[in-house]
Amino acid sequence: MSFTTPVWDMAAFVWINQTARHEMLDVIMPMISQQVWLWLLLAAMVTMILVRAGARRLLPLLCILLAVGVADLSTSMLKDAFGRVRPMNAVAETHHLDDGRWNQHPATFLQTKERGSSFPSAHAANSMVVAVLLMAYRRELRPWMLLLPLLVGYSRVYLGKHYPSDVLAGWMLGLAVAMAFQPLGIRLRAWALRSPARPLRLFPVRTTTTLQIRSLSQSPSEP
């Protein structure tokens, strides 16, 4: 399927990737773009819930993992259908990372690839799923979790991996998947909250039984 980049899309990409650059952003944006932050966030949530409440309270997080899998699979199918070439392989003067170092294509750069995997952005979709569902289950995270997909999406354009329209499409897809899974997660959370919490004890406390107390009280005292 052919894909023609709109004028506004190209103009926004050029401004973010080529004009609005800063040495600090060159360091920060590659770090934000790593999906490992999503898994570290979820791992921290899993650890906190296990320690404080028990394994049964993990059901909403399992719902989030399932939703991320659906979003990731959906973006992969759409990438294959559209075949849009990434801007780093199509646009002259694009800044991009190559072996950990920033490079810029010359003004004479010409597109050589016929197909790519730019549309839509899986990073944008997955981060939106995580943000929306976490806010649905934890009210105290509203609206700050929205910074996650916003920063991730911006970083993908800054790195030359995606056009802004790729990110917007990823956000919309992620929002749709999150809304589809939200009722299931809320029901699982309500069911888990009705059960008594059984937190994980890293260091089990030894208790003295009644029989042990009686045996100790009846034992002869030493002279």
Side-chain angles (χ1 to χ4, degrees), residues 69-81:
V70 171
D72 199 69
L73 177 62
S74 300
T75 55
S76 179
M77 295 172 62
L78 290 173
K79 287 174 185 289
D80 293 338

Side-chain angles (χ1 to χ4, degrees), residues 59-72:
L59 291 177
L61 285 183
L62 294 179
C63 183
I64 294 179
L65 292 176
L66 180 60
V68 169
V70 171
D72 199 69

Side-chain angles (χ1 to χ4, degrees), residues 8-203:
W8 68 266
D9 200 12
M10 181 64 72
F13 170 78
V14 170
W15 185 82
I16 295 174
N17 179 266
Q18 301 179 17
T19 305
R21 302 195 64 84
H22 193 275
E23 293 181 357
M24 185 178 296
L25 293 178
D26 288 349
V27 177
I28 295 175
M29 288 301 158
M31 298 172 59
I32 294 177
S33 187
Q34 296 295 324
Q35 290 209 78
V36 66
W37 295 111
L38 292 180
W39 302 116
L40 288 176
L41 174 63
L42 293 177
M45 295 288 293
V46 167
T47 303
M48 182 181 67
I49 292 174
L50 281 175
V51 172
R52 293 185 177 181
R56 198 169 184 177
R57 304 288 174 87
L58 288 176
L59 291 177
L61 285 183
L62 294 179
C63 183
I64 294 179
L65 292 176
L66 180 60
V68 169
V70 171
D72 199 69
L73 177 62
S74 300
T75 55
S76 179
M77 295 172 62
L78 290 173
K79 287 174 185 289
D80 293 338
F82 284 97
R84 188 183 195 184
V85 178
R86 294 182 184 270
M88 60 181 294
N89 296 318
V91 181
E93 299 185 85
T94 295
H95 292 265
H96 62 284
L97 280 176
D98 188 9
D99 293 332
R101 294 185 177 183
W102 283 103
N103 290 307
Q104 184 180 20
H105 290 315
T108 56
F109 176 81
L110 297 176
Q111 176 179 330
T112 56
K113 296 185 64 175
E114 295 183 358
R115 292 187 61 81
S117 56
S118 187
F119 184 91
S121 168
H123 284 69
N126 296 343
S127 59
M128 181 63 77
V129 167
V130 172
V132 171
L133 291 182
L134 281 181
M135 288 191 298
Y137 306 150
R138 308 288 299 187
R139 293 180 179 271
E140 63 271 19
L141 297 178
R142 303 174 185 176
W144 308 109
M145 279 302 301
L146 284 177
L147 290 174
L148 176 65
L150 291 176
L151 290 174
V152 169
Y154 189 90
S155 71
R156 300 305 289 171
V157 181
Y158 192 90
L159 293 173
K161 299 287 187 179
H162 290 286
Y163 295 95
S165 59
D166 301 335
V167 173
L168 292 175
W171 284 340
M172 289 188 290
L173 176 62
L175 180 60
V177 172
M179 296 302 293
F181 276 86
Q182 181 179 343
L184 173 61
I186 291 177
R187 289 186 179 183
L188 291 174
R189 184 173 184 269
W191 178 75
L193 290 176
R194 286 197 297 268
S195 63
R198 295 182 178 179
L200 175 66
R201 298 187 182 277
L202 300 179
F203 303 99

